[in-house]
Amino acid sequence: MTTSPHNTSTPVVEYEVIVNSSRLSDVLSPLLKARVIAIDTETTGLDPLSDRIRLIQIAVPNYPVVIIELAAISSCELSPLKQLLNNNAVKVFQNGKFDWQVLEIAGLRPKGPFFDVMLASQVLHSGLKKDRDLKSLALEFLGIKLDKTLQSSDFGGKLTNSQLEYAALDAFILLKLRARLISKLRSAGLLETAQIEFEAMPAVAQMELNGMLLDAEQWHLVSEELNENKQTALAELVKAGLKPAPSAQLSLFPEMAEIVNPRSSVQVLSALAALNIPIKSTSKSELIPLASQYPIIQLLLNYRKLASLCSNFAEALPKHIHPITGRIHPSYRQCGARSGRFSCNKPNLQNIPRNCTAKGMRTCFIAAPGYQIIKADYSQIELRIVAEISGDRRMLNAYSKGEDLHTLTASLITGKLLEEVTAEDRRIAKSVNFGLIYGMGAAKLQAYAEEKYDVILTLEEAKEFRSRFFQAYAGVKRWHDRIGKTVYVKDIKQIRTIGGRRRRWAKKPRLSELLNHPVQGTSADMLKVAIARLFKLLPKTGAKLIGVVHDEILLECPQTTLKRTTRILKKVMVEAGELYLQQVPVEVEVKISSFWA
């Protein structure tokens, strides 16, 4: 038995290191009675697919921390550990997604229920700028200063006493953090929201391990097309007159006289000034309102969009193909957005555009041989949530009759009969619906329509459509007014979803943020409930969760179980939605293909 040294702010932690199987059963047997178990791991690196676990630290109340030297014990002798990890005790983690992944790869998948102190703190402080690492949480909630300098030390070689003490303390502190966070969550009415996150955690961890398969050859063709389109757009810019303004410096380099870097703010501003275009900035918010008046501005926006796609996706994505699996394994952050929505990076597959080339980037993400991709979307879920929250009679009536709200809005803002609405009208209405439910002004609606839907509106059109929208949906206008009065008059700096997920602000919030959270946060709650339930059901079908995009779930499914899996997926998503929507029917659209499209 060893005791870690301590200073004035670090607790004393007793621990025992297990380096052989004969001691493992004796030490772990008393822990089987514990109702709460804190688990931490130390690994040789941060890639669950290629790095390995060196230590597993286990802490229970009133017992020394157990540190298991995993490499010293044969996998066939780990049954006492597996028994502990699969009992009914609450398993406490910090960033449990990573620990779950490395344990899964090691054949030691832990069984829930789970508690993740990082996720708990994110739920508690959603909207506020707070660090979520263990050191910050220990200081904030316990007043304990942790020394994390050994976090980046080499856990692959011979371990020092300092490393063992560090490892023991990390597990020990989780028990205290859980107790404090439960109290805080209960006081804030956020225990149920936190539980949604805990139950979704293993589904997210497995989703990352599953990854997505990229057709590298097809991707190369799409990338070539994108680059050709970018060069064409650049040529059109030069032809339209985007050239450097005359200067003495350029005269020294005549070969540069016809070249402007369209991504350089300084050069572009100078070139536009030479064309007598009044502009002070090259930001999108400045450029988009001028696009209809000056065609060269639209050409510049087109070029920048293509250039961004080339650098952020066409060139970058193949670099993320994992050398072991041959698949792309992005990182999903459960509470990456303040609303509670997922965010994604390394790479950001949620931002893969649908239609940027003739074939589209998404068609390059394919199913493995013998499998198909099932894509399921909540149909117009944000608008359905708005109808539920606002109680707008026209919206509620439309959804109860199974009408398409985009077509209805197109009719209402253009004055056309429903049967006269064109595909372009509907696309305009889509930008209006999704823009104005969050309170956009006319100028922002104009920019949003162009950026998201390639819809070009004049400022006058945006103003007119905005006015007609709120005349048509008076209940939405009353909801906006009610939120504004409640928050701005009473100076309340928080708001909640239908299920109670909270977002807070340190300063006076914008109305658009106050409107956004109840809608997108409720959508996030639905999706997380759905994937948590799917995690328990999919093993029976052989299907794998491979991605989520806001209101969309992607599965890779054996062809032999497609019908059964599709029924399960749709049923689970509808039932998750019905937990929150009482007045509006929940609809899920399902498509099956050999690729993501």
Side-chain angles (χ1 to χ4, degrees), residues 276-292:
N276 297 316
I277 297 177
I279 193 167
K280 297 180 181 179
S281 165
T282 61
S283 66
K284 281 185 179 179
S285 59
E286 289 280 336
L287 292 173
I288 288 176
L290 296 172
S292 58

Side-chain angles (χ1 to χ4, degrees), residues 196-350:
I196 290 173
E197 298 295 346
F198 303 154
E199 292 178 2
M201 181 271 289
V204 179
Q206 186 65 66
M207 175 172 65
E208 289 186 2
L209 290 180
N210 293 336
M212 295 184 73
L213 184 60
L214 182 71
D215 185 334
E217 185 175 337
Q218 184 64 35
W219 185 263
H220 178 69
L221 295 176
V222 169
S223 299
E224 283 188 335
E225 183 184 346
L226 265 179
N227 276 296
E228 289 173 3
N229 293 346
K230 184 182 76 169
Q231 293 307 316
T232 300
L234 182 59
E236 289 175 348
L237 265 177
V238 173
K239 185 178 179 181
L242 192 71
K243 301 175 181 179
S247 71
Q249 183 180 9
L250 282 177
S251 66
L252 297 176
F253 304 97
E255 70 276 8
M256 296 178 61
E258 298 295 320
I259 299 174
V260 164
N261 178 3
R263 305 187 78 176
S264 165
S265 297
V266 173
Q267 292 185 34
V268 169
L269 279 175
S270 177
L272 293 178
L275 295 172
N276 297 316
I277 297 177
I279 193 167
K280 297 180 181 179
S281 165
T282 61
S283 66
K284 281 185 179 179
S285 59
E286 289 280 336
L287 292 173
I288 288 176
L290 296 172
S292 58
Q293 184 179 355
Y294 299 99
I296 195 171
I297 298 291
Q298 188 59 53
L299 292 174
L300 176 61
L301 289 167
N302 292 343
Y303 171 82
R304 284 188 167 179
K305 182 177 181 179
L306 289 165
S308 176
L309 289 172
C310 286
S311 61
N312 293 335
F313 294 110
E315 299 166 11
L317 226 61
K319 299 175 184 177
H320 290 281
I321 297 175
H322 200 280
I324 292 176
T325 66
R327 297 168 74 95
I328 292 177
H329 302 269
S331 174
Y332 286 92
R333 290 176 288 182
Q334 283 183 232
C335 299
R338 294 180 179 92
S339 63
R341 270 184 164 187
F342 282 98
S343 67
C344 181
N345 63 1
K346 298 178 183 179
N348 186 358
L349 295 188
Q350 291 187 325

